[in-house]
Amino acid sequence: MALLSVNVDHIATIREARGIDEPDPVLAAGIAELAGAEGIICHLRRDRRHIKDRDLSLLRQTVKTKLNLEMAPVKELLDIALNIKPDVVTLVPERREELTTEGGLDVARSKEEYKGITSRLKEAGISVSFFINPDPDQIRASLDAGADIVEINTREYSEARSESDILRHFEKISEAAQLARKLKLRVHAGHGLNYVNIKRFSSIPEIEEYSIGHSIIARTLIVGIDRAVREMVTLVSQL
Ligand code: PXP
């Protein structure tokens, strides 16, 4: 049985569209936990476009399952992680102009740099996950750099449209997950997973946890609008 961790970034994205204080990702995280999520994920980006330092600090105080902080491997964020002490840090590449995380880390290229960051996080009792593409070289490099977990990037699979491309990308994920498990790394997966494309993953038991954000927040709006409108109709009809 695999576990779900919910990424609450896009609750904050909606808040920031108005620059006010709702909806609150901290409240949403609590409700996600009550609904059975086994972990809460947020990405503190350098430009603070959605999740803010305030959110991270409150999430640390309130999350009862497991708090996973996604962050770029840079000193500013390393210092914040060492201070806040999330349960897990997921290192991700970050480009300022991207809409969302675009690819995996190139651990193989900067192994020593990742080794240094990873050992500081692990000394502080934080588990370390590397977000990588389903590439055997990146998996071996992640092991060498000290990662506890690899999160396999499912973006190419999620964006593939033809059945042959979908199968090709899925096979890569499956092989990567098997190799990572063989090397005794824990395996997570995420990016672009939704209520349809998740079903195929029953054939990859090596993946113990899925990190899902956008599709859950999108569905939240759609399944929630009926109740939200009814409540306002009642209020307005009483005017
Ligand atoms: N994993 C990582 C490393 C991510 O950067 C993201 C996006 O923030 C996700 C998982 C979740 O992706 P999505 O929002 O498409 O479900």
Side-chain angles (χ1 to χ4, degrees):
M1 194 191 76
L3 305 176
L4 170 67
S5 279
V6 175
N7 180 314
V8 294
D9 292 352
H10 291 325
I11 298 288
T13 301
I14 297 171
R15 175 188 65 190
E16 295 309 310
R18 267 296 169 95
I20 54 174
D21 60 6
E22 67 169 8
D24 190 337
V26 180
L27 186 54
I31 296 171
E33 286 189 307
L34 290 176
E38 297 280 353
I40 298 298
I41 303 178
C42 67
H43 184 171
L44 189 67
R45 294 187 71 102
R46 275 174 288 176
D47 62 11
R48 307 294 197 273
R49 68 171 72 154
H50 40 51
I51 295 292
K52 310 285 187 209
D53 299 69
R54 165 264 184 209
D55 301 326
L56 177 62
S57 167
L58 288 176
L59 285 168
R60 175 62 298 176
Q61 292 171 56
T62 54
V63 166
K64 294 184 177 57
T65 52
K66 191 176 64 176
L67 179 63
N68 183 336
L69 170 63
E70 279 182 22
M71 59 175 229
V74 296
K75 183 173 183 316
E76 179 212 350
L77 294 166
L78 176 62
D79 290 346
I80 290 173
L82 292 171
N83 179 38
I84 294 281
K85 292 198 172 55
D87 301 287
V88 181
V89 160
T90 299
L91 296 176
V92 298
E94 189 178 295
R95 285 198 314 119
R96 277 182 203 281
E97 59 277 21
E98 70 191 0
L99 285 177
T100 178
T101 314
E102 288 177 342
L105 293 169
D106 192 349
V107 187
R109 193 159 149 206
S110 315
K111 216 185 306 181
E112 292 310 312
E113 184 196 337
Y114 289 117
K115 228 182 220 173
I117 295 175
T118 301
S119 69
R120 291 201 56 202
L121 289 165
K122 287 171 75 167
E123 274 164 23
I126 301 167
S127 298
V128 183
S129 175
F130 288 0
F131 182 61
I132 54 167
N133 291 334
D135 169 347
D137 290 342
Q138 296 298 341
I139 290 169
R140 290 193 195 93
S142 299
L143 180 73
D144 291 348
D148 303 293
I149 304 163
V150 285
E151 181 183 333
I152 298 175
N153 180 5
T154 53
R155 182 175 182 172
E156 286 190 322
Y157 160 74
S158 301
E159 291 181 356
R161 286 295 160 258
S162 70
E163 189 59 18
S164 64
D165 280 352
I166 292 171
L167 281 176
R168 185 165 54 83
H169 289 300
F170 189 74
E171 196 47 39
K172 275 202 217 168
I173 295 168
S174 177
E175 284 169 11
Q178 286 172 42
L179 173 63
R181 273 312 298 154
K182 214 165 97 190
L183 298 176
K184 306 259 185 303
L185 288 161
R186 292 165 56 199
V187 188
H188 295 182
H191 213 298
L193 297 177
N194 61 36
Y195 293 78
V196 176
N197 65 20
I198 190 77
K199 291 180 186 157
R200 209 179 283 262
F201 284 82
S202 59
S203 66
I204 315 184
E206 290 82 5
I207 299 176
E208 65 182 60
E209 188 173 312
Y210 291 89
S211 160
I212 306 183
H214 185 91
S215 65
I216 293 176
I217 306 307
R219 198 174 183 97
T220 299
L221 297 175
I222 298 302
V223 302
I225 193 164
D226 178 86
R227 175 167 162 192
V229 171
R230 284 174 197 279
E231 287 175 6
M232 189 58 88
V233 164
T234 302
L235 285 174
V236 170
S237 70
Q238 289 164 354
L239 297 178

